[in-house]
Amino acid sequence: MNPVNDVFLRAARGEVTEYTPVWFMRQAGRYQPEYRKIRERYTLPEIVRHPEVTAEVTLLPVEQFGFDAAILFADITTPLYAMGFDLDIVEGRGPVIFNPVSSLDDVERIKPFDAESGTPFVLEAIKILKRELKVPLIGFAGAPFTLASYLIEGGPSKNFIKVKSFMYSQPRAWSRLLERLTEAMFDYLQAQANAGADALQVFDSWVGRLTRYDYETYVAPHMKRLFEKLAGLEVPVIHFGTQSMHLLSSMAAAGGDVIGVDTTTPLDWARDRLGTRPVQGNLDPTLLFAPAKVLERGIDAVLSANAGRPGHVFNLGHGILPGTPPESVALAVELVHQKSAVKP
Ligand code: CP3
């Protein structure tokens, strides 16, 4: 079924909308008491393997706060199990890989990914959600660099020394790894769109740690290929990175219908450089811990940086943080809707 509220999809296509649509990255998660209750019974990978629980968790913030889009509940590591990786998600830390990649042999051992057999539960969750949702559903995947950083580092990293050393000293294995991840994530995203996802987001969360030269040399060719293939799916694709202001033009050139702008990149600066290309962002997630008046000022600042230009999807500059007061989330959604509404 087509969503009843398609304001998000129209903004993502750059159309003028009656108000600015809003959703938050990681809008379903630990800051919600209802989610924490479900987490007492299931680990994160267990939630993802139960489509009806996934659907319940995905719907929680949409029903509670009135977001204009839902994002499928999963993790960027979800497809990695079917590619032969053994991993765990450690609370407060992130994904840990027990059989990391360190050579061309390891790259060749990665199993070819097929979404229908590898992640059937994700596709089933999308089908359930499409029956229940009145707003568009966003599917997502990790970008090749961000996934490679976990696969090579073996877990979250501060300085990205292992992944960068691998990239610099084993260029053939690197290129093969990124090709394989590109193929796999295209298959995964395509299957999500075919199952009913109305839009897709590619999370390249850690790519901002590369210089522009290294991004262009080691990553951009793969991203171009991924976005060229995704363009054939006819759903809007959002391209997101963090601490990536220096990469804005390179990431935009690589592709994506909507450019996700993180907190450290001024939204007006990004818009001035992207022409009419739609953008998504970029409220600082820590403003949700501020007093209501300060939060309101932060929202005003984002809206005025956009200056009424069509093609703005309101979001945070990065994922919502654990400990965020749910009341602030409710207030933020209400303020964005109110303040951006076109007055008759
Ligand atoms: O609501 C949504 O946005 C959908 C769900 C979602 C999750 N992870 C669930 C999750 C999405 C879109 C992601 C993407 C993701 N996962 C990214 C890209 C986005 C970003 O924030 O940059 C990255 C880098 C990961 C890897 C990852 N998974 C990290 C760093 C963590 C946090 C570890 C921690 O405990 O703080 C996770 C775990 C994770 N993924 C949680 C959730 C709700 C917290 C988990 C829990 O319930 O234990």
Side-chain angles (χ1 to χ4, degrees):
M1 201 182 76
N2 289 326
V4 178
N5 168 357
D6 68 347
V7 181
F8 160 78
L9 289 174
R10 285 187 278 125
R13 286 191 220 106
E15 295 171 21
V16 175
T17 51
E18 49 279 35
Y19 62 86
T20 305
V22 52
W23 70 278
F24 286 172
M25 290 180 277
R26 301 267 190 100
Q27 64 193 19
R30 280 201 302 254
Y31 77 99
Q32 296 177 291
E34 300 82 358
Y35 175 82
R36 291 198 299 271
K37 203 151 171 45
I38 293 169
R39 275 283 275 113
E40 285 170 13
R41 295 179 46 213
Y42 304 96
T43 64
L44 182 115
E46 281 167 357
I47 295 176
V48 174
R49 277 170 181 69
H50 290 84
E52 63 299 339
V53 185
T54 299
E56 185 187 343
V57 172
T58 303
L59 286 168
L60 272 176
V62 179
E63 290 174 345
Q64 216 167 38
F65 305 120
F67 284 116
D68 297 290
I71 180 156
L72 172 75
F73 190 83
D75 190 66
I76 59 166
T77 53
T78 299
L80 298 177
Y81 299 85
M83 298 169 78
F85 290 101
D86 180 15
L87 60 108
D88 194 12
I89 294 180
V90 180
E91 185 146 346
R93 187 153 176 251
V96 175
I97 318 283
F98 300 109
N99 53 348
V101 168
S102 63
S103 67
L104 181 59
D105 276 356
D106 293 339
V107 175
E108 297 301 351
R109 265 198 293 273
I110 298 174
K111 294 195 188 128
F113 178 76
D114 168 62
E116 304 287 337
S117 58
T119 50
F121 39 84
V122 168
L123 308 180
E124 183 54 33
I126 293 174
K127 289 176 191 153
I128 298 173
L129 280 162
K130 286 302 292 174
R131 292 195 287 269
E132 308 209 357
L133 277 168
K134 295 183 179 60
V135 297
L137 176 64
I138 304 169
F140 74 93
F145 176 82
T146 292
L147 291 173
S149 77
Y150 284 111
L151 294 180
I152 295 170
E153 297 282 340
S157 175
K158 217 170 158 173
N159 297 317
F160 297 90
I161 295 171
K162 284 188 188 157
V163 62
K164 289 190 187 184
S165 309
F166 187 101
M167 185 176 92
Y168 298 136
S169 56
Q170 302 190 66
R172 230 165 59 80
W174 172 261
S175 169
R176 188 75 192 115
L177 174 61
L178 262 69
E179 270 169 35
R180 301 209 58 184
L181 290 169
T182 300
E183 268 167 45
M185 291 310 112
F186 173 69
D187 185 272
Y188 186 50
L189 289 164
Q190 174 175 244
Q192 292 180 52
N194 289 342
D198 301 288
L200 299 168
Q201 176 155 327
V202 177
F203 284 93
D204 212 350
S205 305
W206 312 137
V207 80
R209 278 43 162 211
L210 292 175
T211 64
R212 188 158 67 181
Y213 178 82
D214 285 349
Y215 180 78
E216 292 286 354
T217 308
Y218 298 101
V219 178
H222 303 281
M223 295 303 278
K224 285 198 175 105
R225 171 114 188 92
L226 178 62
F227 285 112
E228 268 165 27
K229 291 170 67 126
L230 290 172
L233 300 180
E234 293 177 358
V235 297
V237 183
I238 306 162
H239 185 183
F240 170 76
T242 74
Q243 294 181 43
S244 49
M245 185 173 165
H246 61 299
L247 302 180
L248 183 80
S249 57
S250 305
M251 289 176 68
D257 302 292
V258 179
I259 302 301
V261 177
D262 85 313
T263 300
T264 58
T265 306
L267 194 79
D268 48 349
W269 184 90
R271 290 229 80 160
D272 290 347
R273 272 150 195 84
L274 292 169
T276 55
R277 193 91 160 263
V279 297
Q280 174 176 281
N282 72 343
L283 187 79
D284 185 339
T286 44
L287 272 166
L288 295 168
F289 294 84
K293 277 283 158 215
V294 180
L295 170 61
E296 183 173 353
R297 260 194 336 249
I299 290 169
D300 283 338
V302 172
L303 290 173
S304 66
N306 184 63
R309 285 174 273 208
H312 179 213
V313 174
F314 198 101
N315 205 313
L316 303 175
H318 201 172
I320 203 164
L321 297 160
T324 295
E327 314 80 70
S328 296
V329 176
L331 178 64
V333 173
E334 197 186 312
L335 287 173
V336 172
H337 282 162
Q338 225 175 62
K339 285 167 178 279
S340 65
V342 178
K343 312 219 171 34

